[in-house]
């Protein structure tokens, strides 16, 4: 019986080697988005790929034992993560430059600053934080393989803290963006970037998603909270899930120095929104309001509340100061962050449907802005 | 078989068209066409292929030949798998007919629509491939034209710079140099270059200052003065060398447990260089670093491995006030006297022959109150009425002028007294919400004061100030309004303008008031029964005394009726300690008391307006 098995095995390999002409199918196998570089065979409606090629593509290890005629495959979560990281590295860049300040002292000291960025389009488009590239000159992008390229800031939005940098290079490896619905507290979060010193390029920290939809004072939109260490240098770099997909852009702008293990990232949906706005309008178009907004004290300290947000300093004819806004474009708003998020998701560029209560009466009104 | 033939046909067609198309990555590419039109403009040449069409949600498909022809990409076709591979420098794209998943450099990407092979031509998605090849695709809704453009890389951006690499640094204008302290931070460099400061290691400071040698400078006194400064320290070194008159030198070092200090003075023909070093004496490395650095200092600027800190270009330094968005060229021999305020800057000439010439720049909000013209007129009239017309000559009126970037309202005046001979031009201009005032003061004689002012004003560059950043700026015109009753002289009340204030050492019956310019002295004598004739002769005595002291009598003792009261008056002018002043004396009596008033005016301000104001005070005197 053993012999037959061996012969059958050899035959199979022989078949594999000799029957490439018609046995090779046009079936392609992708592992986490990367094409598996080996022959794929279709037989009896089953797809066969070489064990070694598959393992290496997944980051698993395989060893062949002659004595027992067996292949041993070991695959741990760590293997998966480290494969993800090495696959994603080419998409992570370091951004460095000189401070664009005047003054003879600045010219002499010539301080350099740095942050991280993520390639999102293969023809050289990089997303990063706006604060990384503000007042920067001689912007240089360093790829994971060490290549330095001159970069240019194409778009920037301070409120969202996102900016787009362009380099003159084709064929770069873009990151895949995750679906926002898949980001859940407790799931793995991996931050890649260049914290503190440039010798730490492509340094990786891992944690979990600690919270989603976190409203922080100082942030226009809501953020993802993570305990993956986020330091000033890896600002602008990616926060990834365990599949290597982008779930957020790390921002050290919101990190408090006295608090440990609390980092924040701009969620991928906000990133997608910003990119779409930049491409369409060259900037993020927000409504120009004829009033300011104030949130309830519960909202200010972060307690859940059913209270709306109050209108102040209104020169808007349809809504008076003191009115309390309950929803915008049918989305309930209880805080300014809620308002910003609702506008981000639904603003049509011209008007907003606002439901508010004033003097005991609730009304709907359309405001232009 | 048919499909195979077709594929081969396409391939040969493509290959045959492939002659002479340079496939460099930095060629400019341009494609223009209309959906449904089989002739496309590719890099300026009309090419007829299959008609491009749209599928799915607005995905335009074009024949593969359009791509290869425009970009010069290589194409491979595998019939069995119906796979197209496009090769471009740095980018490989693999597409499969009917498969919405494509590969870019091995990475899978999902297309909005799959490539198709409807007939003889393989149709591929235009945007997907163009963008990956570095082009931008745009669609003009009005004309329905699709344009694909890949621009040449401009290559004008530069890479990040490191620090200053030269071995030496120095200032070519003042003429000094020393080794470049590459591991120190420059913590200060004055606009006029008079101070350069370095810091390192948290506790160490080195400063290089440049001064004009003042008339009363004494080398030996300065040397012992420094040693005196260090009397609470242990002296480590005290040496000096005056053998070269054009380069005198002193070097003093002193220390205590925690600090090591040293000072150098280099005195050349025109300047004094003072070097100060304060080091952490508990750190030998830090201390030695500073000492060694200052040893390399010299009062010369030579060699070509030297970084010039000087900002002097063609005899001027460009001053820039960032938040005020203002630039102005200041002559190199002017020092920045004051920049404490956000909206006012003062530069003063700093040479042996001239430390009077000045340039002042101030910015204020218009606030619907001022304009360049109204401020110019206001200041013109105020100054004209307050200056002594005998020594200050004003232009006939405010006039308009224009310079390279600005149009102005301005006037000028010249002051000529024994001590002063100055030309002043007061210039006003505006932009947006703000008014600008530049005052140029030139010490006369000057070879060409018009050109001097014009060169400076032609260099003025302004752009609109961001109100949100700067806010409101109000000019502090200290014009106090109203009057008060001064009763310090017993028995009478004098109405004085509120701008007059009592000088601290007034006593009863001996008062001194001033508005900062004119001084009013008033005395009451009630120790005897005074009669008018006594006072008149007393005044004649005073007049004689003034004459003996070198004063000139302008109008001798006389009777003057002011506000229906009879006064004995006298006016004189006298120079004391180099300062020329005018005096008006008024004596009178009332019910036996003698009242003596003397008003002193500085020569410059002995104007009609000032005299009238004082006259008004005298007129207002009422006795009880």
């Amino acid at each position: 019986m053993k012999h037959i098995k061996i012969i059958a095995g050899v035959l199979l390999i022989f078949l594999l080697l000799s029957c490439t002409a018609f046995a090779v199918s046009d079936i392609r196998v992708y592992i986490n988005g990367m094409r598996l570089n080996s022959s794929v065979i279709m037989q009896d409606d089953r797809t066969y790929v070489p064990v070694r090629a598959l393992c290496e593509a997944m980051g698993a290890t395989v060893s062949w034992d002659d004595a027992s005629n067996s292949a041993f495959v070991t695959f741990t979560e760590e293997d998966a993560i480290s494969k993800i990281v090495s696959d994603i590295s080419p998409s992570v860049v370091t951004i460095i430059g000189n401070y664009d300040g005047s003054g003879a002292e600045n010219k002499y000291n010539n301080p350099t600053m740095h942050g991280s960025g993520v390639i999102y389009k293969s023809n050289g488009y990089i997303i990063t934080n706006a604060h990384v590239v503000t007042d920067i000159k001689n912007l240089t992008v360093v790829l994971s393989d060490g290549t330095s390229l001159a970069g240019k800031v194409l778009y920037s939005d301070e409120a969202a803290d996102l900016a787009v940098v362009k380099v003159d290079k084709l064929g770069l490896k873009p990151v895949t963006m995750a679906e926002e619905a898949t980001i859940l507290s407790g799931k793995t979060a991996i931050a890649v970037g260049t914290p503190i010193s440039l010798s730490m390029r492509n340094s990786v920290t891992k944690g979990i998603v600690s919270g989603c939809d976190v409203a922080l004072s100082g942030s226009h939109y809501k953020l993802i909270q993570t305990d993956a260490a986020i330091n000033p240098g890896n600002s602008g770099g990616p926060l990834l899930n365990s599949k290597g997909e982008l779930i957020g852009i790390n921002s050290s702008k919101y990190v408090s120095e006295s608090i440990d293990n609390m980092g924040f990232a701009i969620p991928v949906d906000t990133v997608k929104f910003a990119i779409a706005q930049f491409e369409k309008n060259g900037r993020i178009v927000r409504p120009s309001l004829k009033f300011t907004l104030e949130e309830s004290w519960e909202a200010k300290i972060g307690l859940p509340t059913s209270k709306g947000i109050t209108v102040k300093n209104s020169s808007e004819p349809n809504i008076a100061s003191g009115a309390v806004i309950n929803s915008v474009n049918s989305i309930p708003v209880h805080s300014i962050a809620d308002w910003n998020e609702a506008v981000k998701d639904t603003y049509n560029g011209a008007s907003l449907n606002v439901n508010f209560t004033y003097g005991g009466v609730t009304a709907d009104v359309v405001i232009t802005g | 078989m048919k499909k195979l033939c077709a594929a081969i046909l396409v391939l040969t067609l493509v290959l045959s068209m492939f002659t002479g198309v340079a496939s460099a990555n930095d060629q400019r590419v341009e494609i223009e066409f209309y959906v449904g039109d089989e002739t496309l403009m590719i890099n300026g040449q009309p090419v007829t292929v299959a008609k491009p069409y749209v599928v799915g949600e607005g995905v335009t498909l074009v024949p593969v030949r359009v791509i290869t022809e425009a970009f010069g990409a290589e194409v491979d076709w595998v019939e069995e798998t119906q796979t197209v591979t496009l090769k471009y420098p740095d980018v490989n794209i693999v597409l499969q007919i009917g498969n919405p998943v494509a590969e870019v450099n091995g990475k899978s990407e999902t297309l909005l629509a799959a490539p198709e092979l409807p007939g003889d031509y393989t149709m591929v998605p235009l945007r997907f491939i163009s963008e990956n090849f570095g082009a931008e695709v745009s669609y003009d809704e009005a004309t329905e034209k699709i344009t694909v453009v890949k621009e040449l890389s401009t290559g004008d951006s530069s890479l990040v710079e490191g620090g200053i690499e030269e071995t030496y640094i120095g200032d070519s204008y003042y003429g000094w140099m020393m080794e470049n302290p590459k591991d120190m931070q420059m913590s200060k460099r004055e606009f006029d270059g008079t101070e350069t400061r370095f810091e390192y290691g948290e506790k160490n400071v080195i400063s290089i200052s440049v001064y004009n040698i003042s008339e009363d400078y004494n080398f030996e006194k300065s040397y012992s003065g420094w040693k005196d400064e260090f009397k609470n320290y242990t002296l480590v070194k005290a040496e000096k060398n005056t053998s070269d008159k054009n380069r005198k030198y002193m070097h003093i070092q002193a220390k205590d447990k925690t600090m090591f200090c040293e000072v150098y003075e280099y005195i050349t023909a025109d300047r004094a260089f003072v070097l100060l070093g304060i080091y952490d004496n508990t750190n030998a490395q830090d201390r030695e670093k500073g000492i060694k650095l200052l040893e390399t200092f010299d009062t010369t600027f030579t060699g070509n491995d030297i970084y010039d800190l000087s900002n002097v270009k063609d005899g001027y330094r460009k001053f820039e006030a960032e938040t005020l968005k203002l630039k102005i060229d200041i002559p190199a021999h002017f020092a920045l006297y004051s920049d404490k305020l956000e909206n006012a800057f003062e530069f003063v000439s700093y040479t042996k022959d001239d430390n009077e010439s000045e340039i002042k720049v101030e910015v204020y909000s218009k606030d619907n109150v001022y304009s360049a013209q109204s401020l110019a007129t206001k200041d013109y009239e105020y100054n004209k009425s307050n200056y002594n017309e005998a020594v200050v000559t004003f232009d006939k009126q405010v006039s308009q002028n224009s310079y390279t970037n600005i149009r102005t309202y301005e006037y000028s005046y010249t002051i000529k007294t024994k001590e002063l001979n100055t030309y002043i031009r007061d210039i006003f201009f505006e932009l947006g919400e703000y008014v600008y005032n530049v005052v140029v003061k030139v010490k006369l004689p000057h070879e060409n004061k018009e050109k001097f002012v014009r060169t400076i004003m032609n260099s003025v560059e302004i752009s609109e100030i961001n109100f949100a950043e700067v806010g409101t700026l109000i000019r502090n015109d200290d014009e106090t309004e109203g009057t008060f009753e001064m009763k310090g002289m017993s028995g009478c009340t004098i109405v004085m303008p509120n701008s007059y204030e009592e000088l601290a050492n007034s006593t009863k019956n001996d008062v001194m008031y001033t508005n900062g310019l004119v001084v009013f002295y008033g005395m009451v004598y009630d120790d005897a029964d005074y009669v008018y004739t006594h006072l008149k002769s007393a005044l004649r005595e005073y007049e004689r005394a003034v004459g003996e002291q070198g004063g000139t009598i302008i109008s001798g003792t006389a009777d003057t009726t002011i506000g229906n009261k009879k006064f004995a008056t006298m006016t004189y002018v006298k120079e004391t300690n180099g300062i020329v002043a005018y005096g008006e004396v008024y004596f009178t009596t009332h019910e036996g008391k003698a009242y003596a008033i003397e008003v002193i005016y500085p020569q410059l301000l002995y104007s009609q307006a000032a005299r009238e104001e004082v006259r008004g005070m005298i007129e207002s005197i009422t006795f009880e």
Side-chain angles (χ1 to χ4, degrees):
Chain A
M1 285 301 123
K2 228 187 197 173
H3 293 284
I4 298 169
K5 260 202 192 151
I6 292 168
I7 292 162
V10 169
L11 255 172
L12 188 62
I13 293 164
F14 179 76
L15 272 167
L16 278 167
L17 291 170
S18 60
C19 301
T20 42
F22 61 84
V24 165
S25 65
D26 61 348
I27 293 175
R28 302 181 218 162
V29 178
Y30 295 96
I31 312 288
N32 285 334
M34 287 303 289
R35 172 81 177 269
L36 182 64
N37 224 342
S38 87
S39 27
V40 178
I41 294 170
M42 233 350 212
Q43 186 132 343
D44 298 330
D45 277 330
R46 285 206 176 98
T47 312
Y48 291 90
V49 295
V51 168
R52 186 170 290 277
L54 182 66
C55 288
E56 279 172 9
M58 293 183 59
T61 44
V62 61
S63 57
W64 175 260
D65 182 37
D66 264 336
S68 60
N69 214 26
S70 320
F72 293 93
V73 176
T74 45
F75 186 54
T76 62
E77 188 207 341
E78 272 182 7
D79 289 326
I81 302 279
S82 69
K83 186 70 173 52
I84 294 289
V85 169
S86 73
D87 280 349
I88 196 65
S89 261
S91 306
V92 183
V93 302
T94 305
I95 296 176
I96 57 176
N98 297 120
Y99 279 114
D100 192 14
S102 63
E105 300 90 339
N106 227 359
K107 228 172 134 198
Y108 177 83
N109 294 327
N110 232 331
T112 51
M113 47 196 273
H114 79 270
S116 307
V118 191
I119 299 168
Y120 69 92
K121 254 168 122 168
S122 76
N123 51 348
Y125 286 83
I126 296 161
I127 191 100
T128 180
N129 287 144
H131 76 264
V132 167
V133 296
T134 317
D135 293 335
I136 191 176
K137 64 172 184 187
N138 301 332
L139 195 156
T140 305
V141 171
V142 183
L143 305 178
S144 62
D145 65 2
T147 316
S148 286
L149 301 162
K152 207 169 68 154
V153 178
L154 284 189
Y155 315 107
S156 177
D157 186 274
E158 224 183 276
D161 195 20
L162 290 170
V164 172
V165 171
K166 172 97 173 45
V167 291
D168 228 342
K169 189 116 170 80
L170 298 179
L172 295 171
K173 190 171 177 199
V175 71
T176 310
M177 306 225 184
E179 289 299 311
E180 177 119 348
T182 62
I183 305 172
L184 299 167
S185 292
K187 283 195 169 177
T188 301
I190 302 167
V192 185
T194 309
I196 312 298
S197 146
L198 291 171
S199 59
M200 295 184 221
R201 273 186 313 112
N202 295 350
S203 120
V204 184
T205 52
K206 180 166 128 303
I208 59 167
V209 173
S210 311
C212 302
D213 288 330
V214 175
L216 262 196
S217 79
S219 173
H220 194 80
Y221 298 116
K222 293 189 184 168
L223 303 168
I224 294 172
Q225 184 199 337
T226 176
D227 64 348
I230 294 181
N231 293 296
N234 50 14
S235 234
L239 190 68
L240 310 155
N241 60 17
S242 54
K243 282 200 245 170
E245 296 170 333
L246 187 79
I247 58 175
I249 294 290
N250 301 321
S251 179
S252 70
K253 204 169 116 172
Y254 312 111
V255 163
S256 166
E257 281 179 13
S258 52
I259 302 180
D260 266 347
N261 290 358
M262 203 189 281
F264 297 95
I266 300 160
V268 68
D269 262 10
T270 308
V271 176
K272 288 178 190 167
F273 163 76
I275 290 173
Q277 284 280 313
F278 288 147
E279 285 178 358
K280 183 160 168 229
N281 306 313
R283 59 188 178 94
I284 296 186
V285 172
R286 298 190 176 92
S288 48
L289 303 172
K290 297 195 189 70
F291 50 82
T292 54
L293 292 167
E294 201 182 270
E295 47 191 11
S296 61
W297 69 266
E298 292 95 330
K300 276 205 188 84
I301 65 171
L303 278 181
T305 172
S306 58
K307 292 184 189 169
I309 50 180
T310 315
V311 171
K312 296 249 139 141
N313 309 314
S314 172
S315 58
E316 165 62 57
N318 295 313
I319 307 183
S321 295
V324 176
I325 294 179
N326 307 307
S327 70
V328 61
N329 291 346
S330 305
I331 300 173
V333 292
H334 307 296
S335 67
I336 295 189
D338 282 345
W339 168 275
N340 291 334
E341 287 287 326
V343 167
K344 175 190 101 195
D345 290 336
T346 62
Y347 179 50
N348 61 8
S351 63
L352 294 167
N353 283 320
V354 178
N355 173 289
F356 67 93
T357 307
Y358 184 65
V361 180
T362 304
D364 284 283
V365 83
V366 175
I367 57 172
T368 51
Chain B
M1 269 301 132
K2 191 176 177 195
K3 268 205 180 146
L4 193 62
C5 286
I8 294 167
L9 200 65
V10 170
L11 206 62
T12 44
L13 266 169
V14 167
L15 289 173
S16 68
M17 290 296 138
F18 199 51
T19 49
V21 178
S23 58
N25 201 346
D26 53 356
Q27 286 282 93
R28 188 175 190 273
V29 173
E30 190 166 335
I31 308 171
E32 286 179 339
F33 66 99
Y34 300 86
V35 166
D37 192 343
E38 60 200 8
T39 303
L40 297 79
M41 290 301 285
I42 300 182
N43 293 335
Q45 300 296 317
V47 179
T48 307
V49 285
K51 290 185 199 162
Y53 58 89
V54 176
V55 298
E57 283 175 45
V59 180
T60 307
L61 299 182
V62 297
V64 127
R65 180 170 151 206
V66 171
I67 301 293
T68 56
E69 183 115 356
F71 291 92
E74 282 177 42
V75 66
D76 277 335
W77 168 255
V78 178
E79 170 67 25
E80 294 90 347
T81 54
Q82 305 259 283
T83 308
V84 184
T85 306
L86 293 162
K87 289 204 183 99
Y88 196 60
D90 289 333
V91 194
N92 262 24
I93 300 181
V94 180
L95 304 157
Q96 190 183 36
I97 305 295
N99 191 342
V101 175
E103 273 171 46
V104 179
N105 288 357
K107 185 159 200 300
S108 66
E109 275 201 41
T110 311
L111 307 170
L112 293 168
E116 299 179 359
L117 186 56
D120 295 333
Y121 297 96
T122 306
M123 307 296 289
V124 293
L126 171 71
R127 180 180 287 273
F128 171 73
I129 297 174
S130 301
E131 286 187 345
N132 272 294
F133 286 172
E136 306 262 325
V137 182
S138 52
Y139 176 65
D140 186 339
E141 274 193 43
T143 59
E144 291 189 356
K145 186 163 95 168
I146 298 179
T147 313
V148 177
V149 175
K150 180 180 155 136
E151 297 288 0
L152 287 172
S153 46
T154 46
D156 61 351
S157 27
S158 46
L159 296 182
V160 70
E161 287 168 0
I164 310 289
E165 293 298 315
E166 283 84 338
T167 313
Y168 293 94
I169 53 162
D171 187 316
S172 60
Y173 179 74
Y174 291 117
W176 64 263
M177 65 190 278
M178 80 178 181
E179 234 173 63
N180 182 3
K182 292 183 193 170
D183 50 1
M184 294 185 195
Q185 287 280 95
M186 182 185 285
S187 55
K188 190 173 186 195
R189 169 78 187 167
E190 283 284 357
F191 165 73
D192 49 28
T194 52
E195 193 189 344
T196 313
R197 210 189 287 173
F198 295 91
E199 286 177 23
Y200 62 101
E202 273 175 54
K203 293 191 186 167
N204 310 281
V205 182
I206 284 180
S207 131
I208 296 154
S209 303
V210 186
Y211 298 100
N212 260 351
I213 303 169
S214 62
E215 277 170 5
D216 52 7
Y217 175 79
N218 181 314
F219 184 90
E220 294 300 335
K221 278 202 176 147
S222 187
Y223 181 71
S224 48
W226 280 118
K227 285 207 287 183
D228 222 26
E229 278 285 321
F230 295 128
K231 63 175 181 284
N232 292 327
Y233 292 75
T234 310
L235 221 50
V236 172
K237 183 191 273 201
E239 51 181 38
K240 57 186 162 104
N241 190 330
T242 54
S243 54
D244 181 352
K245 257 204 309 215
N246 287 334
R247 195 176 174 285
K248 293 190 221 164
Y249 152 100
M250 70 171 86
H251 182 200
I252 297 151
Q253 289 177 328
K255 65 179 179 182
D256 68 8
K257 283 203 197 131
T258 53
M259 279 204 324
F260 187 101
C261 311
E262 64 177 343
V263 62
Y264 285 79
E265 267 192 32
Y266 287 85
I267 311 295
T268 64
D270 355 75
R271 298 195 214 282
F273 298 86
V274 180
L275 318 181
L276 279 174
I278 301 174
Y279 319 121
D280 180 2
N281 201 22
T282 64
N283 185 329
Q285 219 181 10
D286 277 355
R287 185 186 64 227
E288 293 310 307
K289 193 194 305 211
I291 293 175
K292 279 219 143 34
L293 179 67
L294 284 184
E295 281 172 2
T296 68
F297 180 91
D298 201 3
T299 55
T300 168
F301 184 90
T302 56
N304 39 20
D305 186 13
I306 179 168
Y307 179 77
D308 193 0
L309 291 167
S310 165
N311 58 353
V312 174
K313 255 206 200 97
D314 297 326
Y316 286 86
R317 302 177 204 271
K318 192 170 280 292
F319 177 78
E320 186 175 348
E322 269 187 68
T323 43
L324 297 180
K325 304 224 173 98
L326 173 136
K327 287 190 204 171
I328 182 172
D329 279 354
I330 305 288
H333 61 280
F334 276 61
L336 175 61
Y337 179 75
S338 155
D339 66 345
K340 191 171 138 217
L341 294 177
E342 192 194 346
N343 64 330
F345 307 94
E346 217 176 300
F347 305 88
V348 182
S349 171
Y350 196 45
T351 65
K352 253 199 275 216
D353 314 308
D354 178 7
N355 49 12
E356 252 175 69
S357 295
E358 268 180 35
I359 298 169
K360 270 204 282 209
V361 180
E362 285 168 356
V363 182
Y364 302 105
S365 295
K366 275 165 83 175
D367 260 358
N368 297 324
V369 175
Y370 295 128
S371 67
Q373 181 172 25
S374 69
L375 254 189
T377 312
K378 180 174 190 267
D379 280 6
Y380 173 75
E381 277 162 13
Y382 181 82
N383 285 331
K384 189 156 181 222
S385 65
N386 279 297
Y387 274 120
N388 182 349
E389 51 277 342
V391 291
V392 185
T393 337
F394 276 79
D395 280 353
K396 281 204 176 50
Q397 63 197 36
V398 172
S399 53
Q400 287 186 46
N401 207 340
S402 67
Y403 301 97
T404 310
N405 302 312
I406 52 176
R407 301 173 70 86
T408 65
Y409 287 90
E410 51 184 64
Y411 67 91
S412 47
Y413 56 100
T414 311
I415 299 177
K416 190 149 172 56
T417 64
K418 202 160 148 208
E419 319 106 36
L420 293 175
N421 188 3
T422 328
Y423 171 81
I424 294 136
R425 183 93 69 92
D426 205 359
I427 303 162
F428 298 83
F429 48 100
E430 58 188 56
L431 179 65
E433 301 295 307
Y434 297 88
V435 190
Y436 302 74
N437 182 204
V438 176
V439 183
V440 183
K441 199 163 121 177
V442 184
K443 180 177 177 178
L444 299 175
H446 190 278
E447 51 174 352
N448 192 339
K449 60 182 193 287
E450 295 289 327
K451 185 164 170 221
F452 182 75
V453 176
R454 181 154 283 273
T455 311
I456 293 169
M457 295 312 293
N458 274 337
S459 76
V460 171
E461 288 173 49
I462 46 173
S463 48
E464 257 195 70
I465 296 175
N466 182 352
F467 178 79
E469 246 184 79
V470 174
T472 309
L473 304 165
I474 298 182
R475 193 163 93 149
N476 198 352
D477 287 333
D478 49 359
E479 291 160 356
T480 336
E481 288 174 28
T483 57
F484 71 100
E485 288 181 346
M486 195 275 280
K487 300 192 174 181
M489 295 168 74
S490 60
C492 82
T493 306
I494 305 183
V495 176
M496 288 187 148
N498 276 334
S499 53
Y500 276 81
E501 290 205 341
E502 193 172 357
L503 277 179
N505 34 10
S506 286
T507 58
K508 192 78 183 165
N509 287 342
D510 185 354
V511 302
M512 262 205 317
Y513 276 80
T514 180
N515 65 354
L517 308 166
V518 175
V519 186
F520 178 103
Y521 296 93
M523 273 166 293
V524 183
Y525 298 96
D526 56 7
D527 53 343
D529 196 16
Y530 291 92
V531 172
Y532 185 76
T533 42
H534 294 155
L535 296 183
K536 202 160 166 193
S537 41
L539 188 53
R540 277 205 199 89
E541 263 306 301
Y542 186 39
E543 182 184 328
R544 204 179 48 76
V546 165
E548 265 170 26
Q549 286 164 9
T552 313
I553 306 302
I554 295 176
S555 56
T557 307
D559 297 324
T560 315
T561 308
I562 302 171
N564 58 25
K565 190 80 192 129
K566 191 155 118 183
F567 287 87
T569 61
M570 192 265 293
T571 315
Y572 66 88
V573 59
K574 196 169 79 162
E575 180 179 334
T576 326
N577 293 335
I579 298 175
V580 178
Y582 286 76
E584 282 176 359
V585 191
Y586 304 82
F587 282 8
T588 193
T589 60
H590 184 78
E591 288 176 6
K593 290 196 225 172
Y595 293 84
I597 292 169
E598 186 170 18
V599 184
I600 308 287
Y601 307 76
Q603 179 188 31
L604 260 186
L605 299 163
Y606 188 58
S607 62
Q608 184 155 356
R611 298 199 297 268
E612 274 172 15
E613 189 174 74
V614 169
R615 183 68 165 226
M617 288 198 284
I618 307 292
E619 260 177 29
S620 75
I621 296 179
T622 45
F623 293 101
E624 271 121 54

